[in-house]
């Protein structure tokens, strides 16, 4: 499948992207992810949070018009939540309508994601984040919440006497989220997620971005954000599977389908590029890159 480079494309001037970069990231692959954003959303703002520990952010900043933040949390429990919080706060320094959080093994393969996200958010003002939520790409079932649920409950139980203030704060979040229909441990899969502006702004205003106590729970960052959003009255929503016209073609490990299928089905937010069948990341990215020429 090919794309006519002269064909009109929707302009992504309402989106901001936040991308965390870890120590194992490869420069060429991160650059390819950024190239995909700049092709399909040329007006979007890009923020990288550099935890590469090798100056990767500086090098990318010399290549591209982007904002590079040096990660402040290294090797700590909850470090990704803390580092992403800094990226979210930086995003709030300029207006936007949607925030797209991408891992470096994700990419953009179309321009419809922004309009469709804004439409969903406009339709439901209580919708805070979109992504792979309760079902996967093949609608094979509900994503498991058991591990995160056990971790949250164990943390509260063990800290109720040691750190009662922290345990009380977390319990309050859980109870408020529960009233909104939140199932303990639920989240949007972290590799690719879309947030509405108002939700990010409220996370910041209520002090739920970069909170050390939340980082210390040992929860994955997507579970922390899911819990916090629900405690503020927001709920989470699906944003694509193989049977609909929504943008996401994502899976936790590896591509959910062949690159050609994802493009033919109009999937424009892709994760994970690391593998599919006998294809490695370089071969996968090559197919998506060919569609941009």
């Amino acid at each position: 499948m090919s794309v006519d480079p002269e064909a009109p494309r929707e302009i992504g001037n309402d989106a901001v992207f936040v991308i965390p970069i870890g120590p194992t990231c490869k420069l060429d692959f991160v650059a390819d992810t950024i190239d995909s954003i700049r092709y399909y959303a040329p007006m979007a703002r890009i923020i990288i949070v550099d935890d590469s520990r090798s100056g990767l952010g500086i090098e990318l900043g010399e290549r591209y018009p982007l904002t590079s933040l040096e990660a402040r949390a290294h090797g700590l429990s909850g470090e990704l939540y803390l580092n992403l919080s800094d990226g979210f706060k930086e995003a709030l320094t300029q207006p936007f309508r949607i925030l797209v959080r991408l891992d470096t093994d994700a990419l953009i393969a179309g321009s419809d994601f922004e309009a469709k996200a804004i439409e969903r958010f406009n339709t439901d003002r209580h919708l805070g984040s979109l992504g792979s939520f309760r079902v996967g790409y093949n609608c094979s079932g509900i994503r498991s919440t058991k591990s995160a649920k056990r971790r949250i409950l164990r943390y509260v139980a063990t800290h109720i006497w040691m750190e009662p203030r922290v345990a009380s704060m977390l319990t309050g979040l859980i109870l408020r989220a529960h009233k909104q229909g939140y199932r303990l441990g639920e989240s949007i899969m972290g590799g690719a997620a879309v947030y509405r502006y108002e939700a990010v702004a409220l996370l910041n205003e209520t002090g739920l971005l970069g909170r050390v106590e939340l980082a210390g729970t040992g929860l994955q960052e997507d579970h922390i954000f899911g819990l916090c959003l629900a405690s503020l009255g927001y709920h989470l929503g699906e944003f694509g599977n193989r049977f609909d016209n929504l943008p996401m073609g994502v899976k936790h490990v590896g591509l959910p389908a062949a690159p050609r299928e994802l493009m033919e089905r109009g999937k424009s937010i892709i994760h994970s590029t690391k593998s599919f069948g006998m294809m490695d990341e370089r071969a996968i990215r090559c197919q998506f890159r060919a569609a941009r020429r």
Side-chain angles (χ1 to χ4, degrees):
M1 180 179 180
S2 62
V3 174
D4 180 358
E6 301 302 322
R9 298 192 296 272
E10 292 181 34
I11 303 301
N13 57 349
D14 286 326
V16 58
F17 287 79
V18 176
I19 306 172
I21 300 178
T24 62
C25 291
K26 296 181 179 179
L27 176 62
D28 289 349
F29 293 162
V30 181
D32 183 60
T33 295
I34 294 173
D35 285 338
S36 75
I37 296 169
R38 285 170 52 77
Y39 184 85
Y40 289 109
M43 300 300 292
R45 185 180 178 207
I46 301 173
I47 299 168
I48 61 174
V49 185
D50 182 16
D51 193 22
S52 68
R53 308 171 205 184
S54 61
L56 197 59
I58 295 174
E59 190 166 352
L60 289 167
E62 293 172 351
R63 289 193 190 188
Y64 300 100
L66 52 75
T67 300
S68 177
L69 304 179
E70 183 69 25
R72 67 185 174 103
H74 302 285
L76 302 175
S77 175
E79 65 175 41
L80 187 51
Y81 156 73
L82 293 172
N83 290 336
L84 282 171
S85 290
D86 286 346
F88 286 13
K89 290 178 181 180
E90 174 62 28
L92 289 167
T93 63
Q94 296 183 25
F96 63 88
R97 296 183 74 182
I98 64 168
L99 183 152
V100 185
R101 174 264 201 267
L102 289 184
D103 275 353
T104 53
D105 58 339
L107 51 75
I108 298 301
S111 59
D112 68 333
F113 65 92
E114 181 182 2
K116 289 184 176 180
I118 291 172
E119 180 182 9
R120 292 286 306 279
F121 288 141
N122 285 344
T123 301
D124 183 353
R125 65 186 181 89
H126 294 294
L127 186 58
S129 182
L130 292 163
S132 179
F133 179 33
R134 290 179 176 168
V135 298
Y137 179 76
N138 291 311
C139 293
S140 54
I142 297 175
R143 296 176 60 223
S144 175
T145 62
K146 292 180 180 178
S147 177
K149 181 178 180 179
R150 285 196 300 266
R151 188 180 292 272
I152 295 172
L153 294 176
R154 184 167 59 245
Y155 185 89
V156 171
T158 57
H159 286 71
I160 194 68
W161 303 113
M162 299 164 48
E163 297 180 88
R165 183 183 62 84
V166 175
S168 176
M169 179 271 295
L170 188 57
T171 301
L173 290 179
I174 293 170
L175 292 175
R176 290 195 297 274
H178 179 71
K179 290 180 180 179
Q180 303 299 324
Y182 171 77
R183 302 177 187 175
L184 193 58
E186 283 192 322
S187 69
I188 297 292
M189 189 188 73
V194 182
Y195 296 81
R196 72 185 305 143
Y197 169 83
E198 294 85 355
V200 179
L202 192 56
L203 285 171
N204 188 47
E205 291 167 11
T206 54
L208 293 176
L209 290 180
R211 194 154 183 166
V212 176
E213 305 99 307
L214 290 174
T217 61
L219 289 172
Q220 297 290 333
E221 84 291 345
D222 46 359
H223 293 111
I224 295 176
F225 286 125
L227 172 61
C228 290
L229 285 173
S231 75
L232 296 174
Y234 286 107
H235 58 256
L236 314 178
E238 305 288 354
F239 204 39
N241 60 62
R242 71 179 303 175
F243 305 107
D244 62 28
N245 66 349
L246 292 173
M248 282 197 168
V250 302
K251 184 181 175 183
H252 179 57
V253 179
L255 274 189
R260 179 176 293 276
E261 176 185 327
L262 292 169
M263 288 185 280
E264 288 176 347
R265 292 184 183 276
K267 300 306 177 183
S268 54
I269 300 178
I270 307 298
H271 181 278
S272 162
T273 58
K274 288 187 175 178
S275 64
F276 179 76
M278 300 299 291
M279 298 176 68
D280 63 9
E281 185 163 12
R282 193 168 299 280
I284 289 168
R285 286 182 176 274
C286 184
Q287 290 201 21
F288 284 106
R289 187 163 55 250
R292 303 198 296 265
R293 293 173 180 162

